[in-house]
Amino acid sequence: MFDWGFTEFLLVAVVGLLVFGPERLPEVARNVGRWVGKARRYIANVRSDFESEFNTGELRELLGEQQEQIRELKGMVSNAQSELKESFDEVSGELTEASDALNKSLSEDQAPLSARTDEELFADDDLPVAEYSPGETEMKPLNPEEHKSSSHD
């Protein structure tokens, strides 16, 4: 607060000695010291109160900004969620339509594909069927006329 050097302090001491005299100078110096200490503490308290209020204002401002960002993020999440639900509903509808169309395309006397056995599913295939015996190294076609020799035989 005060930047006093030795010369300023000596000058104040001489003036105080002349004004108050040697008997009252120590008592006056003590009182002045108390008042200066009280003034310093008061100024420090006011400064800390001001700084804490200033920091509180900054914190409130930051909190408000963060709440706004949270609101924006919630909006983005809800938009994404609704878009995802719409897409899911659309795909679900398309799958339902495809399933219904597939079931309609099957004749009423045939069972749905999921209820048919492997033999029923693959009965119409034109693939050659072979027979294998454990002791043999090659598989033998059941219908030799359908078996076509390959170039690597």
Side-chain angles (χ1 to χ4, degrees):
M1 187 168 150
F2 296 108
D3 292 330
W4 288 7
F6 181 72
T7 55
E8 289 90 4
F9 183 70
L10 186 60
L11 180 65
V12 169
V14 169
V15 170
L17 187 59
L18 291 175
V19 172
F20 297 111
E23 297 87 22
R24 290 195 52 201
L25 185 62
E27 181 184 334
V28 171
R30 261 185 262 134
N31 286 335
V32 169
R34 285 186 194 134
W35 283 103
V36 168
K38 286 182 181 181
R40 283 186 178 178
R41 283 191 296 275
Y42 178 75
I43 289 171
N45 286 338
V46 168
R47 180 179 288 158
S48 68
D49 288 345
F50 178 75
E51 287 176 356
S52 68
E53 287 296 324
F54 183 71
N55 289 338
T56 303
E58 286 180 356
L59 291 175
R60 286 182 184 158
E61 184 178 316
L62 287 173
L63 182 61
E65 290 173 5
Q66 288 179 348
Q67 287 177 341
E68 180 63 31
Q69 291 174 349
I70 289 171
R71 275 190 231 105
E72 290 175 7
L73 288 174
K74 283 183 179 179
M76 291 170 57
V77 167
S78 66
N79 287 342
Q81 188 177 20
S82 64
E83 289 176 5
L84 185 62
K85 186 178 182 333
E86 289 174 8
S87 297
F88 178 76
D89 290 343
E90 182 179 323
V91 169
S92 177
E94 290 176 4
L95 286 174
T96 303
E97 289 174 10
S99 174
D100 291 343
L102 183 62
N103 286 335
K104 283 182 182 180
S105 69
L106 296 173
S107 66
E108 291 181 9
D109 57 306
Q110 291 181 342
L113 290 177
S114 60
R116 296 169 91 183
T117 64
D118 288 342
E119 289 80 19
E120 292 173 337
L121 288 173
F122 299 111
D124 296 334
D125 288 347
D126 293 333
L127 299 174
V129 179
E131 184 177 276
Y132 176 73
S133 298
E136 298 179 9
T137 58
E138 292 185 13
M139 294 180 69
K140 296 179 187 175
L142 290 179
N143 297 330
E145 64 274 3
E146 291 181 8
H147 178 66
K148 297 177 184 172
S149 63
S150 62
S151 60
H152 63 274
D153 280 344

